[in-house]
Amino acid sequence: MSHNRPERFHQQAHDALKDSELRGNFRGAMDYLRNKRRDAFPDASEENAVRDRSEAIRKRCLSKLPELLEKLEVQCQRNGIQVHWAQDSNEANAIFSELAAKHSAKLMVKGKSMVSEEIGLNHHMEKLGVQCLESDMGEYIVQLDGDTPSHIIMPAIHKNKQQVSDTFEHNIQDFTPTTDVDRLINTGRTMLRQAYQDADIGISGVNFPVAETGTLCLVENEGNGRMCTTIPDVHIAITGIEKVVEFLSDIPPLYSALTRSATGQNITTYFNMISGPRKDGELDGPREVHLILLDNGRSQAYHDEELRKTLQCIRCGACMNHCPVYTRIGGHAYGTVYPGPIGKIISPHMMGLESTKSIITASSLCGACEEVCPVRIPIPAMLQRLRQEAKHKASTGHEPLRGQDADESKLEKVAMKGFAYAASHPSLYHNALSIARKMNGVIPNHLGNWTQCRVKPKFATVSLKARIAKRKGDKQ
């Protein structure tokens, strides 16, 4: 069960590294997903073309974000979709509460939605006596455990088949333990099937809201998203404001980039296009459709031209699958809804730099995330920028970020000023180096454990004089 916090990242990462079963689970899953993505892009030139086009679409749409959001609202309302705006998670939860009370709801059935995780919807509704049941299989498994997702695409990726069987055994009456995947999936489907009929409200996320037509596009593989959005009388969709795209023609390139980057599929099993509530004469579909547009720190990133690139994300999870940090510690260690590389650059806007100052340093800056990002977000550069903001006051012309200079260190500033002074005075610098060399045997070696596990290069055992002599002999 995960109750982790980003403020405790270092201890959580240490604990995760000691969990051999967790590391084994992630090792197998990450290798599988990386290979699937590689096979989905066999032609490097075609991959570059897909990424270039997707990046261009996201940049264009973000450059017009305010006007596209207004157009989306107008078109949705014209289609019969009621639009709500939420500044933060409290406002979003208040909208859900109001709609639940209006319809005397006791059960909500929910398709996969990371934004609903972001606002803590399940816990909020539980306090009001409303059950919010996850219908995505991975989300359902972690909900049974009282756990949280560890990946934005595959919520239960941290569990193996035996652990899933144990979860079902502890939570589902008359379940016979098994590690057969088909039987495990059928068990979950059987438990969830009636919930679609009984639910008062269905909830979903939105992958791409289209401003041109007021259409809500939803990508999924299990069919639960389609059930949640068509069977209950009321459908509530929630999405971040940055997801809006300008034209319906923008969808195919983004869809291709998303599915191939996320799961290595050319196309997902289901692609839903929701244009409004049930019309007169139609036999199915919800009688009411609501769309909640959530800010929750996104406008902070939007107003900074460099940090705005964070909002290009289409939530494929490829950056996580290729990150040497995430693949070894998993998602729970971060203590944030969005873990891994994308979580490190978006969470500071949602939670503030006070809470997230540790996770922005949890990167080798190797660039693997940027190399696979389907919309070319320069994540390493974003991390360097956020590290700077966490250490210093806002620079001229920039609005302070939430938690600006939360990681400021007076001792570090004094040390750097001292180094700068010494480096600009050669005699002082060389004298300092001379003293440091003499102190080498006195100062404790904190790298002892590291150096003990290193293999000394063979040439290090040969004197310089002997190597010179050997080189001369070779030339002769």
Side-chain angles (χ1 to χ4, degrees):
M1 185 177 297
S2 175
H3 296 292
N4 292 350
R5 297 287 302 165
E7 297 91 338
R8 300 194 293 268
F9 170 76
H10 294 293
Q11 182 58 51
Q12 290 156 190
H14 181 72
D15 293 341
L17 288 171
K18 292 191 298 183
D19 188 335
S20 58
E21 186 173 35
L22 177 72
R23 294 192 66 182
N25 293 347
F26 270 95
R27 178 75 279 154
M30 296 298 102
D31 287 348
Y32 172 77
L33 289 169
R34 283 202 295 266
N35 290 338
K36 289 280 286 182
R37 184 197 175 278
R38 180 200 62 206
D39 295 342
F41 289 107
D43 184 338
S45 60
E46 193 255 351
E47 176 188 356
N48 286 327
V50 169
R51 296 175 69 202
D52 287 344
R53 189 173 182 190
S54 298
E55 179 192 21
I57 291 171
R58 292 301 294 134
K59 281 187 172 181
R60 166 169 51 81
C61 294
L62 284 172
S63 71
K64 304 176 179 181
L65 184 59
E67 63 183 82
L68 290 185
L69 287 169
E70 291 181 0
K71 185 173 182 179
L72 175 68
E73 180 180 33
V74 170
Q75 291 300 113
C76 283
Q77 290 175 339
R78 187 172 294 166
N79 293 344
I81 299 173
Q82 301 176 49
V83 179
H84 311 263
W85 300 81
Q87 183 67 32
D88 54 28
S89 58
N90 290 332
E91 289 189 9
N93 281 321
I95 295 168
F96 274 105
S97 301
E98 182 180 343
L99 292 172
K102 175 185 173 183
H103 295 280
S104 302
K106 293 300 178 184
L107 173 63
M108 294 178 166
V109 63
K110 182 156 76 70
K112 192 172 184 312
S113 165
M114 290 307 296
V115 180
S116 71
E117 296 282 349
E118 182 185 326
I119 66 172
L121 176 64
N122 293 10
H123 298 294
H124 176 79
M125 299 311 299
E126 184 180 359
K127 293 175 183 177
L128 301 178
V130 180
Q131 182 185 7
C132 200
L133 180 65
E134 298 285 354
S135 65
D136 173 89
M137 191 56 61
E139 292 274 4
Y140 176 65
I141 292 166
V142 296
Q143 186 179 39
L144 287 178
D145 269 341
D147 208 345
T148 55
S150 60
H151 193 286
I152 61 174
I153 298 297
M154 290 144 288
I157 199 170
H158 56 289
K159 291 182 176 293
N160 56 38
K161 292 180 289 187
Q162 183 59 57
Q163 290 171 317
V164 173
S165 178
D166 293 342
T167 294
F168 283 179
E169 184 179 6
H170 295 149
N171 293 279
I172 298 176
Q173 189 175 3
D174 299 327
F175 171 74
T176 303
T178 179
T179 55
D180 181 83
V181 174
D182 289 337
R183 287 179 60 192
L184 290 170
I185 295 298
N186 284 332
T187 297
R189 286 174 175 166
T190 300
M191 297 301 297
L192 290 166
R193 180 64 60 174
Q194 188 59 40
Y196 300 114
Q197 296 286 348
D198 297 340
D200 306 291
I201 294 175
I203 298 170
S204 77
V206 184
N207 291 95
F208 309 111
V210 184
E212 178 186 31
T213 58
T215 306
L216 311 181
C217 298
L218 184 62
V219 180
E220 53 148 338
N221 270 318
E222 298 178 18
N224 63 306
R226 183 162 295 183
M227 304 282 270
C228 290
T229 59
T230 56
I231 296 178
D233 275 346
V234 180
H235 169 214
I236 307 174
I238 182 169
T239 188
I241 57 174
E242 82 281 15
K243 291 289 195 70
V244 63
V245 297
E246 187 171 9
F247 303 118
L248 201 58
S249 59
D250 291 331
I251 299 298
L254 292 176
Y255 184 33
S256 175
L258 171 61
T259 57
R260 289 202 274 178
S261 298
T263 53
Q265 295 173 274
N266 287 327
I267 191 171
T268 52
T269 310
Y270 298 92
F271 182 76
N272 307 293
M273 300 177 70
I274 301 162
S275 299
R278 181 192 307 189
K279 295 179 175 61
D280 292 340
E282 293 183 339
L283 300 179
D284 55 17
R287 300 183 187 280
E288 285 185 24
V289 178
H290 298 262
L291 172 64
I292 300 175
L293 295 168
L294 178 68
D295 184 338
N296 202 32
R298 290 163 172 82
S299 59
Q300 174 179 275
Y302 177 78
H303 289 305
D304 186 293
E305 191 170 342
E306 182 182 12
L307 296 177
R308 182 183 299 177
K309 296 172 185 175
T310 302
L311 303 180
Q312 292 172 202
C313 178
I314 57 175
R315 303 293 191 272
C316 70
C319 62
M320 300 178 189
N321 305 339
H322 291 75
C323 174
V325 177
Y326 176 89
T327 55
R328 283 158 180 79
I329 64 174
H332 287 152
Y334 293 85
T336 54
V337 171
Y338 304 99
I342 187 59
K344 282 179 271 190
I345 63 173
I346 199 169
S347 298
H349 300 292
M350 298 174 177
M351 306 176 71
L353 285 165
E354 307 99 324
S355 300
T356 57
K357 60 187 179 183
S358 293
I359 64 171
I360 61 176
T361 64
S363 171
S364 64
L365 301 179
C366 66
C369 51
E370 184 176 358
E371 289 179 7
V372 298
C373 177
V375 289
R376 298 191 185 278
I377 302 173
I379 296 178
M382 299 292 97
L383 286 171
Q384 289 177 304
R385 168 69 189 281
L386 289 169
R387 292 177 186 183
Q388 179 182 352
E389 301 299 334
K391 292 284 186 183
H392 305 284
K393 303 289 184 185
S395 57
T396 305
H398 288 92
E399 288 291 323
L401 302 184
R402 180 181 166 191
Q404 183 81 39
D405 75 352
D407 201 25
E408 180 185 18
S409 169
K410 292 182 179 179
L411 179 61
E412 185 177 307
K413 282 189 173 183
V414 170
M416 292 306 296
K417 284 182 179 179
F419 175 78
Y421 182 81
S424 59
H425 294 76
S427 59
L428 178 61
Y429 183 76
H430 291 298
N431 286 334
L433 286 179
S434 178
I435 294 172
R437 281 193 292 268
K438 292 176 182 177
M439 294 290 289
N440 188 42
V442 179
I443 299 174
N445 180 13
H446 295 293
L447 296 178
N449 292 333
W450 182 81
T451 55
Q452 287 175 13
C453 69
R454 310 301 291 177
V455 178
K456 185 183 292 186
K458 290 182 179 180
F459 68 79
T461 61
V462 183
S463 69
L464 177 62
K465 186 175 181 180
R467 279 182 293 166
I468 292 174
K470 183 179 185 300
R471 186 174 297 176
K472 286 182 179 179
D474 292 341
K475 288 181 179 179
Q476 293 174 356

